Amino acid sequence: MAKSSAPSRERIVAGAADMISRRGLSATSIRDLAKHAKAPLGSTYHYFPEGKQQLVTEAVRYAGGAVARILRAELKAGPVAGVRAFLGLWRGIVVESDFRAGCPVLAVSVEEPPLDEVSPALTAAAEAFEGWERLLAESLREHGVTRDRAEGLAALIVASVEGATAMCRAKRSAQPLDQVAQQLEELIVGAIDRPA
């Protein structure tokens, strides 16, 4: 969550991302989100006049952007280092929260949108996943992996990390992320060594 000295709007968005990562989308009301962010309910409606959907969408964008910034910085050292950092980020979140928190982007993704429309929050979640995949694929391509293989491997990395994060919460153990880390690192090294 953002520091309490952060602007009220940012604190509310960060608090919403944190709460969604812990309780999911359906189990959080706008009142709960404001309380979790230590913000007045009136401020929440002032900043997010469209209500919960607008706040959730911004929380997903916030979380997706925060992860992308970390991933972008770590990928400068190469795809193996980037994936280690990506896995380390999620491992830290689940372990430090005593397996109570996961990924808010995933939490929103698994909630059912209305059948007649795609929610803006679900669209933001798809954009976050695509952004992470794009960063990983670009790094892999920079290290000699073909475009198709890099894109496939990037999707596998994101899907594996997100799934392992959920498994960690269910099992109350970091073992799934640790196992996935080892396998992904071997796949990345193999793809770089044999890019064809």
Side-chain angles (χ1 to χ4, degrees):
M1 194 165 106
K3 296 178 185 173
S4 59
S5 62
S8 193
R9 187 178 202 289
E10 182 181 341
R11 191 170 65 243
I12 294 167
V13 171
D18 181 62
M19 188 167 205
I20 292 165
S21 77
R22 294 168 188 276
R23 292 176 59 184
L25 181 59
S26 296
T28 55
S29 68
I30 194 99
R31 183 176 301 277
D32 292 336
L33 293 169
K35 184 177 178 182
H36 186 71
K38 296 180 175 65
L41 185 59
S43 292
T44 304
Y45 283 111
H46 169 74
Y47 289 123
F48 308 98
E50 295 170 34
K52 181 179 174 181
Q53 187 64 252
Q54 181 184 9
L55 176 53
V56 168
T57 301
E58 293 205 29
V60 169
R61 288 185 182 130
Y62 171 86
V67 172
R69 283 187 296 280
I70 292 167
L71 193 53
R72 186 177 295 109
E74 297 297 330
L75 283 168
K76 290 177 183 176
V80 172
V83 170
R84 281 182 187 155
F86 190 46
L87 283 148
L89 168 72
W90 294 116
R91 190 181 199 286
I93 288 169
V94 296
V95 170
E96 290 169 19
S97 70
D98 195 28
F99 304 96
R100 289 186 177 97
C103 176
V105 177
L106 178 63
V108 168
S109 299
V110 298
E111 302 275 344
E112 286 293 323
L115 295 176
D116 58 344
E117 63 182 75
V118 176
S119 74
L122 193 59
T123 300
E127 290 167 354
F129 289 141
E130 290 165 1
W132 302 344
E133 289 176 52
R134 189 170 37 259
L135 289 169
L136 289 159
E138 287 168 1
S139 180
L140 288 162
R141 285 196 310 268
E142 288 170 6
H143 287 80
V145 179
T146 63
R147 176 178 294 278
D148 287 346
R149 189 163 185 206
E151 290 174 0
L153 189 51
L156 178 65
I157 292 166
V158 173
S160 297
V161 172
E162 290 295 300
T165 300
M167 290 173 66
C168 286
R169 290 187 71 195
K171 293 182 173 188
R172 300 193 54 75
S173 167
Q175 184 181 19
L177 274 168
D178 295 340
Q179 290 173 321
V180 165
Q182 180 182 352
Q183 296 302 314
L184 289 177
E185 190 167 326
E186 289 175 16
L187 282 172
I188 293 166
V189 169
I192 292 170
D193 289 346
R194 295 179 301 279

